[in-house]
Amino acid sequence: MHFELSEEHRMIREAAREFAQELKPGVIERDELAKFPFDFVKKMGELGFMGMMVPEEYGGAGMDALAYVLVLEEIAKIDASTAVIMSAHNSLVCYGLNAFGTEEQKQKYLKPLASGEKLGAFALSEPEAGSDATSQHTTAIDMGDYYLLNGTKNWITNGGNSDIYLIIAQTDVEKGHRGINVLIVEKGMDGFTIGPKENKLGIRSSDTHSLMFSDTKVPKANRIGEEGFGFKFAMKTLDGGRIGIAAQALGIAAGAYDLALAYSKERKTFGKPISEHQAIQFKLADMEVEIEAARLLTYKAAWKKDQGLPYGKEAAMAKLHASEVAMKHTVEAVQIHGGYGYVKEYHVERLMRDAKITQIYEGTSEIQRLVIAREILR
């Protein structure tokens, strides 16, 4: 077992760390104004961060899942909104097309996505179907050489600014989950409209929208996989997505810890830095232990994916633990800062707000426990 990063991985992490510092000056304003970071998304494309695990022949960087996790962690330390834009694009869209798309689909859609020329979104959740992927009310009726798409998708990350969307829809209700398909939909198709941007608690500069389809014609050539492959596609894609969410949560927690540690050495009470008070030392020690445990779980899940080994349980474990650590210890970071922690300029209150969503998207903490239990009880 090796616990040291390779030279290549260290270089990738350093590049991400340098990029993350560019995000910091305007991060508070973007959060307040819910302003999408267009320029930084473009820069991520130039750095190879928008198609990290896609082969170079399709415009990607050809890196592994561990490299992807390292980059996400560093970006999320500073700006979780930019991290989630990158994560959804990589884990859910590029991965799905690369793993299951046809050569024609890869040439037409994956290449511009992996290079960062275009942005992608994955649409599974609905008003009545969040974590329950089998209850799809969005329908894709087979009309011969095309599908007629009708329905609504909710809580879609990158929903407003994407060019390409992967839509999960029910084609044959009688077949249940075996009658679900995944379709590639382009912005601008007739009958496809985008709802208002959600006004969120956290990750405010990422855009989250509802998508509405009314008799949208989607060519049969835009179906990914065989007829009825949609449910399997969603489940396989979400496993990788959980690694991305774990990395985001890890970064949020680590970013809050770094700020709390630095502040504890500067802030003085009773004539000495608060870091010398045992109560603060206990908090910092707990943060260090639990964040490092989350890091090891996340890196292990990424490593198993890279080795071609089953990683569903490990991804769920990493997502569960890292998200709970992020929520717990961003709160502690605010506490260590005292009154200053409640003020935006110290950043920790934003990280606390950003942390909460990591317990919700890609399946709630309760869903992760069900996934883990199902695996260990087999």
Side-chain angles (χ1 to χ4, degrees), residues 7 9 14 20 113 120 201 228 236-237 245 257 275 323 344 357:
E7 179 64 24
H9 282 124
E14 186 58 33
L113 287 166
L201 171 73
K236 290 177 181 291
T237 301
I245 301 305
Y257 169 73
S275 61
S323 63
K344 289 182 182 295
I357 194 61

Side-chain angles (χ1 to χ4, degrees), residues 36 84-85 88-89 93 119-123 153-167 185-188 192-198 200 205-213:
F36 191 83
V84 73
I85 293 166
H89 178 90
V93 183
L119 186 64
F122 175 77
K153 294 293 184 180
N154 274 16
W155 318 118
I156 308 305
T157 300
N158 300 341
N161 290 298
S162 284
D163 306 283
I164 297 165
Y165 300 77
L166 303 187
I167 310 297
V185 174
E186 299 178 46
K187 179 181 280 184
F192 174 22
T193 57
I194 299 170
K197 182 166 63 176
E198 301 291 350
K200 299 173 297 186
S205 66
S206 72
D207 65 316
T208 304
H209 295 257
S210 294
L211 312 177
M212 285 79 75
F213 304 96

Side-chain angles (χ1 to χ4, degrees), residues 315-356:
M317 290 170 64
K319 196 269 187 187
L320 171 65
H321 184 66
S323 63
E324 295 194 343
V325 166
M327 193 69 252
K328 176 180 178 181
H329 291 305
T330 52
V331 171
E332 286 286 40
V334 171
Q335 192 73 14
I336 289 170
H337 279 75
Y340 292 104
Y342 222 64
V343 178
K344 289 182 182 295
E345 68 181 278
Y346 284 81
H347 294 284
V348 286
E349 63 84 29
R350 172 175 48 81
L351 291 169
M352 181 180 73
R353 289 186 285 107
D354 288 345
K356 185 59 192 174

Side-chain angles (χ1 to χ4, degrees), residues 10-43:
R10 287 197 294 271
M11 289 175 63
I12 292 166
R13 183 178 63 182
E14 186 58 33
R17 192 168 287 168
E18 291 177 5
F19 169 71
Q21 290 306 310
E22 297 179 30
L23 292 166
K24 192 169 185 178
V27 67
I28 294 174
E29 179 187 14
R30 291 194 301 275
D31 174 75
E32 288 183 336
L33 301 178
K35 184 179 178 182
F36 191 83
F38 289 103
D39 291 343
F40 291 115
V41 172
K42 180 181 178 182
K43 179 71 177 290

